[in-house]
Amino acid sequence: MNGATGLRIRVRGRVQGVGFRPFVWHLAQRLGIVGEVKNDAEGVLILAAGPALPDFEAALSDDLPPLAKVTSVESTPHRFAARPTGFLIVPSTGHGAETGVVPDAATCTDCAAEIRGPGRRQGYAFTNCTNCGPRFSILRSLPYDRAATTMAEFEMCPACRAEYEDPADRRFHAQPIACPACGPRLWLEAGGEEVPGDPVAEAARRLRAGQILAIKGLGGFHLACDATSADALATLRARKRRPGKPFALMASLPVVRVHAHVPPAAEALLASPAAPIVLLDAHDALPKAVAPGLSTLGFMLPHTPLHHLLLNQFPGPVVMTSGNLSGEPQVTGNAEARAKLGHIADAFLMHDREIARKLDDGVERITPRGPVTLRRGRGRAPSTLPLPPGFEAAPRILAVGGQIKSAPCLLKSGEALLSHHLGDLDDPLAWAEFLAAEADYAAIFEHLPEALACDLHPGYRATRHAETRGKATGLPLVHVQHHHAHLAACLGENLWPLDGGPVAGIVLDGTGLGPDGTSWGGELLLGDYRGFTRAAQLAPAPLPGGDAASREPWRNALVRLDAAGLPEVADRLFPDAPRAAVRAAIAAGVNAPAASSAGRLFDAVAACLWLCPPAQSYEGEAAMRLETLAEGRADPYPMGEDPRRIDPAPMFRALAHDLDAESPGAIAARFHAGLAEAFAVRARRLVETGAARAVALSGGCFQNARLLELTLAALDGLPVLTHGAVPPNDGGLALGQALVAAAKGS
């Protein structure tokens, strides 16, 4: 017989650059399958024949390489022109964005062992293989091969080339493959001069001496110091001008356990290939200056060989905070680091592999519903999300997101690509980074938008950008109300069908422009992707001083206490504040817009407990301290009986009484319980009357684990949708904008 009958198998998903072809090759060897496998523009294509074909086909979705993700396996009959005699990995043909790009992955156990043991990569800080190492952070363009990465300038030595070309080797086609003979070089410099000797050993010595180091990581520089040294922490805070914002920490898992509670779910998250910062309940074993006023610590495990080597010599814990000036994006280049971090760092641990794009560390936490992403960063981007049923024909949409925690989103081919965290667009450098990321993602994923989506707020930089682009290109532009976008993002992540029916959306955050021209922020919406109505709201209150109200929590406390008929309590709590001037401005309607903001309500309660006088040093400080302060279970504060208006005046009257009768922890707990119950009772009514089919929880306030837990408890027995891979804060806003725009066009 001249030919053979077999199968043509198309595998789609994250199957390129992750060792999938060697996986197929090994599988074929084991099962006696003949044929070939290759990469192409759609994914992986397999031509296969042999008696064990059913087992071979079924195994293609089992025991995958660590970084692979199969979304579909499609098989059709195939006739070979000539009977194959073996199984080959053949050269790739074409390339396309449909195959996806792999996020950076933490060092695998094999590479971690290799740098510690004898061999040519012992102590080498850039060891990697197909199962780990840099990906997105070094990629310049597609196709993903060495010539299109920042490894292009490092020519492989014969030993690395042999590993790269051997399908039986775990480094087969690992594009960042390197060794001391041919790869990037590490050094330590101080005072503008390279320091002789082992750079890692010298870095560890300097950490022990209390110095501040700038360390070049995967997506940018970190600033590092000994987290157990109060003096080093004080020095870093003073130099970086970061008085209160918590520092991220790095340590090995045994050291993390010394300083924080690590439940199994958190351990799995820490040890995942994404290796995010995970918020953990702290033990009282580190100086308070690590995370002032908070009971959680943000820990990550070492995720590069360099970090492993450093922690081998300095066990930690080590502060690993973003290497940047306050409010600016992370520094990535060596020259930029010297210029911007020279007044902060005593020495620099550097290398000569360029970083193609800035990637902050991701931040995640474990909630009663499992892991939730607070900041989408290194290790998660640029993975895609499937679109819900009904969106199969969605056009290519670019949604630009909000102003703070910016992260645009692209819809294409039944998937959503939500970008990594880009920061606050008020900062000129963050704005430049947004524009660069927009062009970057469009080029890498071959995305030409057919429509644009943005927030309603005309003052958002992203909104103005979308409007300008829409006018210049003629593309249709959909303005999406802020809280509707939050609701749609939660629906979309949970794959709620386009025609799944209305849900009750509890959306609690700082502020977002409502369709009535006022600021919203404490909302119960009834709606779906196509539209919504406002079923209930937090009673609005003035924001005295406008943006100043978000910086100075006492302003919010004053207006809420005054509204509750308790001006004398405000006078007693804030004797040195300019109360008369603020009250006069409110009475005159000068720079005191009304807002139904749940975020500002948190600030008001925190101010009554004097948690961060006179002003917050970072966004969310008051609310985070209030969450930390809350202790035990407590009776909820009353929040008014009006089904459409949630009035906190009764709560403030009860709180004022409790200031002299209860502990601050009990007051904080009663507030959380009261807010959760007030919204949950009204949402439950919508479901039980048949107006809604489920409840969705979204908005930045649901980063608060206590509020989330209490709200879920109050909704017990109902179907409830929450966030996981998509941030509940404005980092997920663009996904909702894109889905609303797609739904309105359907």
Side-chain angles (χ1 to χ4, degrees):
M1 187 168 60
N2 293 328
T5 300
L7 291 177
R8 182 183 188 275
I9 305 174
R10 159 68 62 204
V11 186
R12 304 181 192 276
R14 188 195 296 166
V15 290
Q16 292 191 12
V18 294
F20 196 82
R21 289 175 301 161
F23 159 72
V24 173
W25 183 84
H26 281 287
L27 186 62
Q29 304 299 318
R30 178 165 60 85
L31 295 176
I33 298 296
V34 296
E36 64 182 49
V37 60
K38 69 176 180 179
N39 287 337
D40 65 9
E42 297 182 58
V44 166
L45 181 64
I46 305 167
L47 304 179
L53 263 182
D55 293 337
F56 175 78
E57 185 180 11
L60 291 175
S61 298
D62 299 330
D63 298 321
L64 298 175
L67 304 182
K69 180 181 178 181
V70 171
T71 56
S72 68
V73 178
E74 306 157 6
S75 300
T76 55
H78 178 74
R79 178 77 179 179
F80 288 87
R83 173 178 287 277
T85 57
F87 194 88
L88 303 175
I89 298 177
V90 300
S92 302
T93 57
H95 77 275
E98 308 303 325
T99 60
V101 177
V102 182
D104 300 273
T107 305
C108 68
T109 54
D110 289 333
C111 287
E114 189 174 12
I115 62 175
R116 293 186 175 97
R120 66 193 186 96
R121 291 191 177 90
Q122 184 177 31
Y124 186 55
F126 305 95
T127 299
N128 66 86
C129 71
T130 309
N131 298 325
C132 68
R135 296 292 201 281
F136 193 44
S137 64
I138 62 170
L139 181 67
R140 287 193 171 116
S141 63
L142 289 178
Y144 175 61
D145 57 35
R146 196 179 185 93
T149 73
T150 60
M151 286 296 296
E153 64 187 83
F154 301 100
E155 185 176 351
M156 281 184 243
C157 66
C160 284
R161 173 64 65 181
E163 293 169 332
Y164 181 85
E165 294 176 349
D166 181 0
D169 194 285
R170 79 175 197 275
R171 291 190 168 88
F172 179 75
H173 281 217
Q175 304 305 333
I177 187 173
C179 75
C182 65
R185 186 178 75 90
L186 183 73
W187 71 91
L188 188 135
E189 65 178 60
E193 300 290 335
E194 184 172 336
V195 178
D198 181 347
V200 175
E202 177 63 14
R205 184 192 71 77
R206 288 171 178 263
L207 287 173
R208 285 191 292 271
Q211 291 192 12
I212 312 299
L213 298 187
I215 300 175
K216 191 174 184 180
L218 274 180
F221 275 80
H222 290 103
L223 290 167
C225 74
D226 179 359
T228 67
S229 168
D231 289 342
L233 291 165
T235 299
L236 178 55
R237 288 203 177 278
R239 291 181 184 177
K240 200 179 178 187
R241 298 178 184 175
R242 183 172 172 167
K245 193 173 183 180
F247 285 138
L249 302 169
M250 179 180 285
S252 65
L253 188 57
V255 174
V256 174
R257 288 198 179 102
V258 171
H259 299 286
H261 176 58
V262 187
E267 179 177 338
L269 199 54
L270 285 164
S272 68
I277 298 167
V278 180
L279 300 188
L280 304 169
D281 290 335
H283 303 320
D284 291 329
L286 288 175
K288 297 298 184 184
V290 170
L294 305 182
S295 62
T296 56
L297 295 173
F299 266 108
M300 58 181 156
L301 301 186
H303 52 267
T304 74
L306 171 57
H307 294 117
H308 279 277
L309 293 168
L310 181 62
L311 292 186
N312 284 348
Q313 301 206 38
F314 184 84
V318 181
V319 166
M320 282 283 178
T321 189
S322 294
N324 60 349
L325 300 180
S326 181
E328 291 188 1
Q330 197 172 13
V331 168
T332 57
N334 293 350
E336 182 189 16
R338 294 183 188 104
K340 290 191 172 183
L341 305 180
H343 67 290
I344 302 175
D346 297 300
F348 295 81
L349 191 55
M350 293 177 142
H351 58 76
D352 55 356
R353 185 180 68 202
E354 289 185 33
I355 297 171
R357 59 185 52 79
K358 302 175 194 289
L359 288 170
D360 277 309
D361 299 309
V363 181
E364 305 181 17
R365 78 183 306 176
I366 300 297
T367 73
R369 285 296 188 93
V372 61
T373 298
L374 307 183
R375 184 172 74 193
R376 185 172 164 86
R378 169 195 51 77
R380 296 298 184 198
S383 56
T384 59
L385 301 160
L387 298 187
F391 286 93
E392 292 82 2
R396 295 187 180 196
I397 293 173
L398 167 63
V400 295
Q403 183 74 2
I404 299 175
K405 297 180 177 65
S406 172
C409 181
L410 287 64
L411 292 197
K412 179 185 175 185
S413 303
E415 293 184 312
L417 174 66
L418 183 62
S419 93
H420 57 283
H421 170 81
L422 297 171
D424 183 348
L425 299 187
D426 279 331
D427 178 75
L429 292 178
W431 174 241
E433 197 65 23
F434 171 90
L435 295 176
E438 183 184 79
D440 181 33
Y441 275 89
I444 288 178
F445 294 93
E446 299 175 355
H447 187 275
L448 291 174
E450 299 169 282
L452 306 170
C454 66
D455 195 89
L456 279 181
H457 201 302
Y460 283 4
R461 216 164 184 174
T463 298
R464 297 197 303 268
H465 170 67
E467 290 171 344
T468 300
R469 184 167 176 177
K471 289 177 182 176
T473 60
L475 292 173
L477 173 63
V478 179
H479 289 80
V480 182
Q481 198 277 325
H482 192 91
H483 301 91
H484 187 201
H486 275 303
L487 171 61
C490 187
L491 295 179
E493 179 178 2
N494 287 276
L495 299 178
W496 189 263
L498 176 60
D499 295 321
V503 301
I506 301 176
V507 188
L508 308 179
D509 65 358
T511 58
L513 184 65
D516 59 358
T518 67
S519 289
W520 292 14
E523 311 304 321
L524 176 61
L525 307 181
L526 177 62
D528 57 14
Y529 300 104
R530 293 189 175 97
F532 71 95
T533 58
R534 198 182 197 183
Q537 65 171 122
L538 192 66
L543 297 179
D547 289 343
S550 64
R551 296 189 299 269
E552 300 177 3
W554 69 266
R555 294 172 178 264
N556 304 289
L558 181 141
V559 298
R560 287 296 185 183
L561 288 167
D562 283 3
L566 301 167
E568 71 285 355
V569 176
D571 293 341
R572 175 167 60 89
L573 289 174
F574 315 114
D576 299 324
R579 303 182 313 282
V582 167
R583 285 167 171 151
I586 293 171
V590 176
N591 197 21
S596 59
S597 171
R600 301 294 78 80
L601 186 65
F602 271 90
D603 292 348
V605 175
C608 289
L609 298 175
W610 208 239
L611 291 182
C612 52
Q616 303 189 78
S617 65
Y618 61 92
E619 184 201 5
E621 180 180 10
M624 291 167 65
R625 286 175 176 253
L626 189 64
E627 178 187 0
T628 290
L629 185 65
E631 57 185 14
R633 292 292 173 258
D635 292 335
Y637 278 132
M639 289 285 220
E641 300 296 329
D642 189 327
R644 296 184 58 83
R645 185 181 176 90
I646 299 170
D647 186 0
M651 183 270 291
F652 277 99
R653 287 191 283 270
L655 183 153
H657 173 271
D658 284 351
L659 286 174
D660 298 320
E662 296 283 355
S663 69
I667 292 172
R670 291 194 69 188
F671 164 68
H672 280 81
L675 185 65
E677 182 179 83
F679 277 93
V681 164
R682 290 160 173 83
R684 177 180 288 278
R685 189 176 300 126
L686 291 175
V687 176
E688 291 179 344
T689 59
R693 297 186 179 180
V695 181
L697 309 180
S698 192
C701 291
F702 281 112
Q703 296 174 114
N704 182 319
R706 174 176 280 263
L707 179 66
L708 177 62
E709 181 178 6
L710 289 168
T711 306
L712 289 170
L715 294 169
D716 186 46
L718 301 182
V720 182
L721 312 177
T722 60
H723 285 278
V726 176
N729 56 48
D730 283 8
L733 202 64
L735 171 64
Q737 292 172 351
L739 291 170
V740 169
K744 289 185 174 181
S746 64

